[in-house]
């Protein structure tokens, strides 16, 4: 497995080179080479792992030099955070950074542990590597075209595209290191790198709002990092090991709870959700990467790793309740959003909440559902963010109301959006199947509260996705023209994403048997059949169902272009069913608007109570866990 160091170092090397290339003609091809290299290296690692038997493989025991280099890296990260915090007068952030770095240095020098492997490759880490490589690589390719249009429209921001692309690749390198680390100290190092890079990406425009939101993301993730550092120190002092597998096997309640806290902050669960919502100020590629292939997926990855130790414990109850409550609360708040990126952000937090709840229960069925949710969510959400970003560059808006009848003005982007939305909530896509399996597992576990969270959260999910999809495919003739300026780089990424969503659906039985079930088997040592339908029956149902949305959209487009019937309006129709002459003889704009239920589900009404409730629940549960252990 000598390819592992190359997989981590390659994107870092590309990240170092990109800022020195000022010419877009040279920088673009380098991004393609970098993204392609990441994908090839991940495939090579996958092939080597499969040829070796596809089991759990561990590497690199003697790593004293690398350990010292990582310690130096942690000090550099701390110095960067301290410097930027002083510049922007965010002094509390300094305490979090210095505190956890000092704790890590103390733990590493005071409590020596037995030599053990530092890298581990198994089904789950391999899946995360492939997701990060392909989804992340495509996002980097998309960013090449997107950033040209972005700075064409936003001339008020300094063009730092080289820095932006560099951070995307550095993010990928850190993600590979994180998911392939079996040692908590190594995982912590890459964990903190992702926190710092997300901070830099969110603050890209350097506006007051961007700086404020970036520091909010930083301190929330540093809070989780502090919990991570304390867990490492306790594990080293009391267990004599910092191997994640050993900590999970022993099931020490306090380290498990603190690691779970780190996972909750990284996956933006309530009460820490505001950092991910604030990340929307950054250019779209960073949002796509944060929500799909890196950052938040690192949080749920850690929680899935911890799941066997959380089953039936107070820590598991804490995680499942926080996840279930986040699922329903954020899906309700998504109803009240008309900003496309905010809907996607709330959707991400909500769906991650369901994955977190499944991890907290820690049963075979729930982890089966969690892994499947993670796969479909990564591809669909990346594609949706890219489509919304492209539409924003064309329309100058990401308001869902401005997307009314977009299928007639921007058909290619609308088809991509339709497939992405269908992938998030319609049958037979994996998101819906996963929810059904999770619901059955919650019922079998007798957890009535989680059953209610999932049932009502799924209902609200269907409402906001249906509103958006219906808006896109409405037959609407308007005088407002929309010229598609989407670059080829962007379409390459989005088309590949669309094909992947459809293929994941059509090849679902293969995905379930060859990927998901073996992961569950490696985590728990056993895995029984979750779906009882035969392979051929399942594939036949999916083949018919998966074609429903594009067929419907095609028929809507054909009928709209063939038949145009003027409708009655509140005055003389001006010929496009959009404007009419009112009683004063002036043109009046007539349009249909969705019902957003802002009074019932708006952020101003629900966010504060949700944060207070989840904060109280988290504090009480952590106190009970610590009190019970002591």
């Amino acid at each position: 497995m000598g390819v592992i160091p190359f997989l981590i170092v390659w994107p870092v090397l590309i990240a170092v080179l990109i800022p020195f290339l000022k010419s877009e003609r040279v920088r673009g091809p380098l991004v393609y080479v970098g993204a392609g290299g990441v994908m090839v290296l991940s495939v090579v690692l996958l092939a080597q792992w499969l040829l070796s038997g596809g089991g759990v493989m561990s590497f690199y025991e003697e790593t004293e030099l690398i350990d010292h280099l990582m310690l130096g890296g942690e000090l550099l990260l701390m110095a960067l955070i301290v410097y930027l915090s002083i510049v922007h007068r965010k002094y509390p952030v300094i305490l979090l950074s210095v505190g956890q770095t000092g704790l890590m240095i103390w733990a590493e020098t005071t409590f020596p542990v037995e030599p053990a492997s530092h890298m581990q490759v198994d089904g789950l880490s391999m899946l995360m590597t492939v997701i990060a490589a392909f989804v992340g690589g495509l996002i980097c390719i998309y960013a090449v075209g997107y950033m040209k249009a972005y700075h064409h429209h936003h001339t008020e921001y300094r063009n730092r595209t080289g820095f932006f692309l560099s951070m995307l690749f550095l993010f990928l390198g850190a993600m590979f290191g994180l998911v392939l680390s079996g040692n908590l100290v190594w995982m912590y190092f890459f964990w903190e790198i992702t926190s710092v890079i997300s901070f830099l990406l969110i603050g890209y425009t350097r506006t007051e709002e961007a700086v404020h939101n970036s520091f909010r993301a930083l301190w929330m993730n540093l809070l989780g990092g502090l919990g991570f550092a304390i867990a490492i120190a306790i594990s080293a002092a009391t267990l004599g090991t910092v191997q994640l597998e050993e900590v999970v096997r022993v099931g020490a309640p306090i380290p498990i709870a603190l690691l779970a806290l780190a996972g909750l902050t990284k996956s933006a669960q309530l009460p820490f959700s505001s950092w991910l919502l604030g990340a929307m100020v950054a250019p779209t590629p960073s949002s796509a990467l944060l929500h799909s292939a890196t950052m938040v997926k690192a949080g749920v990855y850690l929680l899935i790793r911890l799941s066997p130790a959380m089953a039936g414990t107070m820590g598991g109850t804490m995680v499942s309740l926080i996840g279930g409550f986040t699922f329903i609360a954020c899906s309700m708040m998504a109803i009240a959003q008309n900003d496309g990126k905010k809907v996607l952000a709330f959707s991400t937090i909500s769906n991650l909440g369901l994955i977190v709840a499944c991890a907290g229960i820690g049963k075979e069925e729930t982890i089966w559902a969690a892994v499947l949710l993670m796969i479909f969510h990564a591809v669909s959400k990346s594609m949706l963010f890219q489509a919304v970003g492209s539409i924003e560059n064309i329309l100058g808006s990401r308001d869902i109301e401005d997307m009314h009848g977009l299928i007639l003005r921007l058909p290619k982007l609308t088809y991509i959006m339709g497939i992405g939305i269908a992938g998030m909530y319609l049958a037979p896509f994996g998101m819906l199947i996963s929810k059904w399996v999770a619901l059955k597992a919650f019922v079998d576990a007798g957890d009535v509260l989680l059953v209610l969270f999932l049932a009502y959260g799924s209902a609200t999910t269907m409402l906001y996705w249906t509103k958006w999809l219906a808006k896109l495919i409405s037959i609407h003739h308007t005088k407002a023209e929309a010229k598609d300026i989407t670059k080829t780089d962007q379409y390459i990424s989005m088309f590949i994403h669309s094909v992947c969503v459809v293929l994941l659906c059509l090849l679902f039985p293969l995905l379930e048997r060859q990927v998901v079930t073996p992961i569950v088997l490696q985590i728990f040592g056993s895995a029984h059949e979750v779906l009882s339908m035969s392979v051929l029956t399942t594939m036949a149902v999916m083949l018919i169902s998966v074609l429903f949305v594009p067929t419907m959209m095609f028929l809507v487009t054909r009928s709209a272009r063939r038949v145009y019937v003027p409708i009655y309006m509140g005055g003389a129709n001006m010929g496009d069913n959009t404007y009419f002459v009112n009683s004063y003889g002036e043109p009046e704009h007539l349009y249909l608007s969705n019902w957003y239920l802002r009074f019932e589900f708006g952020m101003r009404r629900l966010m504060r109570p949700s944060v207070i409730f989840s904060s109280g629940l988290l504090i009480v549960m952590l106190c009970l866990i610590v009190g019970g252990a002591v």
Side-chain angles (χ1 to χ4, degrees):
M1 294 292 178
V3 72
I4 292 178
F6 291 102
L7 182 61
I8 298 172
V9 172
W10 173 254
V12 176
L13 177 62
I14 299 297
V16 171
L17 292 176
I18 285 177
F20 294 101
L21 302 177
K22 304 302 181 182
S23 172
E24 292 183 354
R25 292 184 177 180
V26 179
R27 191 166 55 201
L30 180 62
V31 171
Y32 273 79
V33 171
V38 164
M39 296 176 193
V40 170
L41 287 170
S42 68
V43 171
V44 172
L45 178 61
L46 175 62
Q48 290 182 350
W49 176 67
L50 290 174
L51 291 173
S52 301
V56 180
M57 306 180 67
S58 301
F59 308 93
Y60 310 119
E61 288 191 10
E62 299 297 330
T63 57
E64 185 176 355
L65 176 60
I66 298 177
D67 292 338
H68 291 317
L69 291 174
M70 284 187 174
L71 193 58
E74 290 174 19
L75 290 172
L76 288 175
L77 289 175
M78 183 193 73
L80 176 63
I81 293 171
V82 169
Y83 169 73
L84 293 176
S85 299
I86 292 174
V87 169
H88 295 284
R89 299 180 181 180
K90 304 289 185 180
Y91 302 114
V93 176
I94 297 176
L95 297 177
L96 285 172
S97 180
V98 173
Q100 66 190 57
T101 304
L103 181 61
M104 285 297 297
I105 295 173
W106 174 74
E108 290 184 51
T109 55
T110 306
F111 304 109
V113 295
E114 291 295 325
S117 60
H118 290 72
M119 286 284 181
Q120 177 177 297
V121 180
D122 62 2
L124 183 58
S125 62
M126 197 66 251
L127 172 64
M128 294 298 296
T129 298
V130 171
I131 289 176
F134 281 85
V135 177
L138 289 172
I139 291 171
C140 292
I141 291 172
Y142 170 88
V144 173
Y146 174 88
M147 293 305 289
K148 295 177 185 176
Y150 179 82
H151 282 290
H152 177 75
H153 290 289
H154 297 283
T155 55
E156 69 274 21
Y157 304 141
R158 180 187 169 191
N159 190 335
R160 297 190 296 141
T161 300
F163 168 80
F164 185 83
L165 294 171
S166 176
M167 290 299 102
L168 294 184
F169 276 100
L170 198 58
F171 221 142
L172 293 181
M175 190 65 183
F176 293 139
L178 192 155
V179 299
L180 293 172
S181 294
N183 179 283
L184 286 173
V185 174
W186 279 32
M187 185 179 288
Y188 168 83
F189 173 71
F190 293 112
W191 186 275
E192 289 306 288
I193 291 177
T194 62
S195 297
V196 173
I197 296 174
S198 66
F199 157 72
L200 295 173
L201 286 173
I202 295 169
Y204 173 78
T205 61
R206 293 180 174 174
T207 62
E208 184 178 349
E209 181 186 14
V211 170
H212 174 76
N213 290 357
S214 65
F215 271 98
R216 178 169 55 190
L218 182 61
W219 79 255
M220 285 188 176
N221 281 285
L222 286 178
L223 183 63
L226 180 61
F228 205 129
I230 296 173
I232 290 174
I234 294 175
S235 298
T238 60
L239 305 179
T241 181
V242 288
Q243 295 299 112
L244 177 58
E245 186 177 1
E246 283 298 307
V247 173
V248 171
R249 185 184 63 81
V250 174
I254 295 180
I256 293 295
L258 291 172
L259 290 172
L261 174 64
L264 292 175
T265 57
K266 188 73 77 174
S267 56
Q269 297 299 281
L270 286 169
F272 311 109
S273 301
S274 59
W275 79 257
L276 190 59
L277 297 172
M280 297 300 100
V281 298
T284 294
S286 65
S287 299
L289 197 63
L290 288 172
H291 288 249
S292 60
T294 62
M295 198 61 176
V296 295
K297 288 297 187 295
V300 294
Y301 167 78
L302 177 59
L303 290 169
I304 291 174
R305 286 287 187 201
L306 299 173
S307 58
M310 292 193 293
T313 66
M314 187 71 72
T317 301
M318 175 188 75
V319 170
S320 61
L321 287 178
I322 290 292
F325 178 71
T326 300
F327 175 66
I328 187 171
C330 289
S331 63
M332 291 168 67
M333 283 186 275
I335 294 174
Q337 309 304 316
N338 63 300
D339 184 313
K341 285 181 73 172
K342 281 191 175 180
V343 173
L344 296 180
F346 273 111
S347 169
T348 292
I349 300 169
S350 176
N351 282 283
L352 291 175
L354 182 54
I355 299 173
V356 168
C358 289
I361 294 296
K363 301 294 185 182
E364 293 177 22
E365 296 92 334
T366 58
I367 298 304
W368 186 96
V371 173
L372 198 63
L373 279 167
M374 192 167 61
I375 296 171
F376 272 87
H377 182 269
V379 182
S380 296
K381 193 56 64 71
S382 173
M383 179 172 64
L384 284 169
F385 265 107
Q386 292 177 48
V388 170
S390 300
I391 290 171
E392 182 183 8
N393 277 342
I394 295 169
L395 302 181
S397 168
R398 55 177 185 250
D399 191 328
I400 293 174
E401 292 302 314
D402 294 332
M403 300 180 193
H404 192 94
L406 206 63
I407 192 169
L408 299 181
R409 294 188 288 163
L410 299 170
K412 287 191 290 187
L413 286 173
T414 306
Y415 271 92
I416 292 169
M417 284 283 294
I419 294 173
I421 291 175
M424 291 301 299
Y425 86 111
L426 288 180
F429 293 91
M431 296 292 287
L432 188 66
I433 294 174
S434 301
K435 288 179 181 179
W436 176 80
V437 172
L439 180 62
K440 181 178 181 299
F442 293 160
V443 171
D444 292 342
D447 199 321
V448 178
L449 193 57
L450 284 181
V451 171
L452 293 175
F453 283 159
L454 179 53
Y456 286 97
S458 297
T460 51
T461 297
M462 177 168 283
L463 176 57
Y464 67 75
W465 283 129
T466 301
K467 285 197 306 177
W468 196 348
L469 183 60
K471 200 74 175 175
L472 291 170
I473 65 174
S474 297
I475 300 178
H476 176 66
H477 295 265
T478 177
K479 293 179 179 179
E481 296 294 330
K483 182 180 178 181
D484 193 346
I485 59 172
T486 307
K487 305 292 184 182
T488 304
D489 312 275
Q490 297 169 263
Y491 268 127
I492 288 174
S493 177
M494 289 186 286
F495 283 151
I496 294 176
H497 274 82
S498 302
V499 172
C500 288
V501 170
V502 175
L503 287 178
L504 285 173
C505 181
L506 294 179
L507 301 177
F508 176 81
L510 184 64
L511 177 70
E512 186 269 333
R513 290 192 175 186
Q514 301 298 322
V515 179
V516 181
T517 298
I519 289 175
V520 175
L521 179 62
Q522 287 179 346
I523 292 176
F524 292 95
S526 62
H528 62 271
E529 188 176 20
V530 175
L531 293 179
S532 58
M533 296 177 67
S534 69
V535 173
L536 291 177
T537 303
T538 305
M539 291 192 70
V541 171
M542 291 197 166
L543 181 61
I544 295 171
S545 302
V546 77
L547 297 176
F548 174 74
V549 171
T551 301
M552 177 186 65
M553 295 174 73
F554 175 75
L555 293 176
V556 167
T557 307
R558 288 291 299 273
S559 63
R561 290 173 177 171
R562 185 176 64 251
V563 180
Y564 174 67
V565 180
I567 62 174
Y568 172 77
M569 306 178 80
N573 192 323
M574 296 182 67
D576 62 356
N577 289 345
T578 303
Y579 289 87
F580 65 93
V581 179
N582 62 22
S583 57
Y584 293 98
E586 299 174 347
E588 190 81 26
H589 187 205
L590 179 69
Y591 62 94
L592 298 176
S593 174
N594 277 323
W595 187 23
Y596 290 98
L597 298 166
R598 288 193 173 90
F599 179 78
E600 294 83 1
F601 299 130
M603 284 183 64
R604 292 183 180 180
R605 194 168 186 84
L606 294 184
M607 181 57 83
R608 185 181 293 273
S610 298
V611 169
I612 293 173
F613 173 78
S614 55
S615 298
L617 176 63
L618 197 59
I619 292 170
V620 169
M621 296 297 286
L622 285 173
C623 289
L624 290 175
I625 292 168
V626 174
V630 173

